[in-house]
Amino acid sequence: MPPSVPDNFPSTPGKVKMERSNYFGRFASRWHSTASARLLSCSAILLALTLFVLFRMSLYNGADQYLTRVTPIPQAFKPDHVWETQVRQSCLPKKSEGLIVLVTGAAGFVGTHVSLALKKRGDGVLGIDNFNSYYEVSLKRARQELLEKQEIFIIEDDINNKELLKVLFDLIQFTHLMHLAAQAGVRYAMQNPGSYVHSNIAGFVTLLEACKDASPQPAIVWASSSSVYGLNSKVPFSESDRTDQPASLYAATKKAGEEIAHTYNHIYGLSITGLRFFTVYGPWGRPDMAYFSFTRDILKGKPISIFQGANKQDLARDFTYIDDVVKGCMASLDTAGKSTGSGGKKKGPAPLRIFNLGNTSPVTVPNLVSILEKYLKVKAKKNTIKMPRNGDVPFTHANVSLAHAQLGYNPTTNLDVGLKRFVKWYLSYHGLEPSLKSQRS
Ligand SMILES: O=C(O)[C@H]1O[C@H](OP(=O)(O)OP(=O)(O)OC[C@H]2O[C@@H](n3ccc(=O)[nH]c3=O)[C@H](O)[C@@H]2O)[C@H](O)[C@@H](O)[C@H]1O
């Protein structure tokens, strides 16, 4: 049988394999001359095919495990009348000139607080959240209840669901997108890298695609992270400092988000503001964060691990109270400036901004623990251990002069005051101090 590909067809440009091919042909024809050799060849082909199929299956299962462990796969989307009514009502501003904001990650920590603040001042707010199981879903449900009481509807879906976003952006002319949905956590990135790519990169691009196609395009404010400063040792961290040395995959995906934002601003005229949050804490916070998990373990009498850096140096964070961050988010929305494009076409340059939202006064982790002990009235069982090599950085410290000048940002809550409010909420939320049950913070 003539070969389907000429013998001298190069496998890569500039390489001709004629000699090897002829040699192989002669060798093969000798093998095929006996019946036993034919049987052997068939078995070898079968074995190779089986191994190939098994290999592909293992690859598929591997990727699937990363995507489904915390992140439900988006389903096809079919709106109905009830859904449309809920969406429209939630988006209706209660004041003239009110914003219409789509908040992603609305059942998350910062998302809940920002949604409530927007609604309180009369803006229209619609949430979207996939309620993944990275931490207790019951806490996300409790936050959702808070929002529902204020007539804020949360669509339960994934930001990667293009069909849903298309329907939504056709239905509502959002003035702003407040994008807070993310796979958070610095250390978890080593266990589940795929979920960071899925939420922080693929999810962000899916949203930006929906925004750039919208007419008119909304302005976008989104959560970057102090972690982009990585191994930067110049303090305090300014927006113009280098951010090309991420210490974790989480940080790398946030940094990628900043570059992706630049692209969409440049090509499509989207107004985009990135906010570098510095270890945000407070009532309704995230149970995976140290202040929260320390509180839980101290109350249970369980030991806590306090990490130390090189030369037994205490680690420090510029812990930032939630109410200060919310003010920074609101000011960013109010000053965002318009996107200039529509339907995927840029009409002119649009704002591209990045701001630090920190507290400007770092506190060491042992000091954080002392404050918790004071308000919990319980002594912690402390194990001081060397910082694991899992993406942590030794300290963070924000310079917020840019946010102060352009947003009027001025953090006013120190860690002592903020943790006092957190502990009060924590005890109330867990029914440990019944008299406080009705209070929110
Ligand atoms: O600003 C951000 O961009 C990030 O802030 C937050 O990350 P981090 O600053 O690392 O906060 P967090 O985990 O509370 O650890 C606090 C300190 O406790 C130390 N730490 C932690 C755990 C432990 O068991 N022991 C310990 O000493 C630990 O070494 C650290 O020194 C968000 O989680 C992240 O999503 C992102 O938003």
Side-chain angles (χ1 to χ4, degrees):
M1 208 164 85
S4 57
V5 179
D7 269 354
N8 62 347
F9 190 81
S11 64
T12 49
K15 281 190 185 168
V16 178
K17 289 185 162 181
M18 194 138 87
E19 266 183 41
R20 193 167 157 242
S21 163
N22 282 343
Y23 169 77
F24 188 75
R26 282 198 300 277
F27 184 72
S29 70
R30 270 209 300 279
W31 265 90
H32 282 259
S33 63
T34 63
S36 61
R38 237 175 266 137
L39 195 67
L40 202 65
S41 311
C42 285
S43 321
I45 290 167
L46 260 176
L47 183 69
L49 271 173
T50 313
L51 285 173
F52 178 72
V53 169
L54 284 174
F55 174 67
R56 290 304 298 259
M57 278 174 70
S58 77
L59 269 189
Y60 176 76
N61 287 339
D64 190 48
Q65 170 203 328
Y66 283 136
L67 289 181
T68 55
R69 225 169 68 205
V70 294
T71 313
I73 300 291
Q75 302 296 317
F77 183 73
K78 289 192 188 65
D80 61 23
H81 181 67
V82 178
W83 182 88
E84 271 195 33
T85 310
Q86 283 170 312
V87 166
R88 284 188 197 281
Q89 276 174 357
S90 196
C91 287
L92 208 61
K94 293 272 175 343
K95 63 176 184 190
S96 65
E97 309 285 301
L99 312 182
I100 304 173
V101 188
L102 175 62
V103 179
T104 71
F109 172 35
V110 183
T112 295
H113 284 275
V114 172
S115 299
L116 289 171
L118 287 167
K119 196 74 182 184
K120 195 171 170 192
R121 67 174 202 181
D123 295 318
V125 187
L126 178 70
I128 176 168
D129 201 296
N130 68 6
F131 290 86
N132 71 37
S133 57
Y134 170 58
Y135 61 79
E136 291 92 311
V137 177
S138 58
L139 178 57
K140 299 181 182 185
R141 292 291 174 203
R143 296 183 188 131
Q144 182 183 26
E145 259 180 53
L146 269 187
L147 266 53
E148 278 172 353
K149 278 188 195 142
Q150 302 307 317
E151 296 170 359
I152 300 169
F153 177 54
I154 302 185
I155 297 170
E156 188 166 339
D157 214 312
D158 193 292
I159 52 171
N160 281 285
N161 191 339
K162 286 183 210 164
E163 285 179 49
L164 161 72
L165 295 181
K166 167 104 186 69
V167 171
L168 207 50
F169 279 75
D170 284 347
L171 192 65
I172 305 287
Q173 284 195 359
F174 294 104
T175 58
H176 293 78
L177 170 71
M178 181 82 226
H179 173 42
L180 299 165
Q183 176 57 61
V186 174
R187 289 162 287 279
Y188 180 64
M190 286 183 74
Q191 286 174 50
N192 193 355
S195 71
Y196 290 79
V197 178
H198 179 80
S199 295
N200 304 357
I201 297 185
F204 192 25
V205 171
T206 309
L207 280 166
L208 290 170
E209 282 290 315
C211 290
K212 72 96 170 53
D213 286 338
S215 304
Q217 297 168 334
I220 297 151
V221 177
W222 71 284
S224 183
S225 160
S226 73
S227 65
V228 299
Y229 291 109
L231 305 177
N232 176 40
S233 55
K234 182 181 155 287
V235 278
F237 300 165
S238 298
E239 289 83 350
S240 55
D241 288 352
R242 65 185 293 191
T243 52
D244 58 351
Q245 300 169 292
S248 64
L249 182 67
Y250 169 72
T253 59
K254 287 295 181 179
K255 173 66 184 168
E258 293 187 358
E259 304 302 337
I260 290 166
H262 179 274
T263 310
Y264 275 79
N265 168 269
H266 173 68
I267 303 180
Y268 300 111
L270 284 171
S271 158
I272 310 184
T273 305
L275 303 175
R276 292 178 179 165
F277 293 162
F278 282 69
T279 316
V280 187
Y281 72 99
W284 296 98
R286 276 176 29 214
D288 62 312
M289 289 181 67
Y291 75 95
F292 201 119
S293 62
F294 286 169
T295 300
R296 190 181 51 215
D297 290 344
I298 292 171
L299 286 172
K300 283 186 180 162
K302 282 171 68 177
I304 59 170
S305 299
I306 298 180
F307 303 150
Q308 268 186 339
N311 306 319
K312 306 213 168 198
Q313 191 196 3
D314 286 333
L315 305 182
R317 287 289 181 275
D318 199 0
F319 296 101
T320 309
Y321 190 63
I322 182 68
D323 290 2
D324 290 324
V325 166
V326 169
K327 283 184 201 143
C329 291
M330 307 290 276
S332 299
L333 290 167
D334 292 341
T335 58
K338 288 198 185 317
S339 294
T340 61
S342 69
K345 297 237 160 47
K346 180 178 179 177
K347 303 262 164 59
L352 179 69
R353 309 182 299 171
I354 198 99
F355 296 110
N356 284 343
L357 292 187
N359 192 51
T360 72
S361 45
V363 176
T364 66
V365 177
N367 271 346
L368 164 102
V369 174
S370 303
I371 300 172
L372 286 176
E373 288 177 321
K374 178 171 73 176
Y375 292 119
L376 293 170
K377 302 188 180 80
V378 183
K379 271 263 162 250
K381 292 182 183 142
K382 294 172 244 180
N383 287 331
T384 302
I385 61 171
K386 196 166 162 247
M387 179 172 89
R389 287 176 66 84
N390 54 10
D392 243 324
V393 292
F395 63 89
T396 60
H397 184 179
N399 174 342
V400 297
S401 39
L402 191 66
H404 180 70
Q406 294 193 25
L407 307 176
Y409 175 72
N410 183 29
T412 54
T413 316
N414 67 33
L415 189 62
D416 193 287
V417 170
L419 282 182
K420 185 176 179 186
R421 291 183 195 158
F422 166 72
V423 167
K424 190 170 162 185
W425 167 81
Y426 185 96
L427 297 176
S428 161
Y429 180 75
H430 291 94
L432 299 169
E433 243 174 64
S435 60
L436 295 173
K437 252 187 170 164
S438 58
Q439 297 180 18
R440 240 207 72 223
S441 59

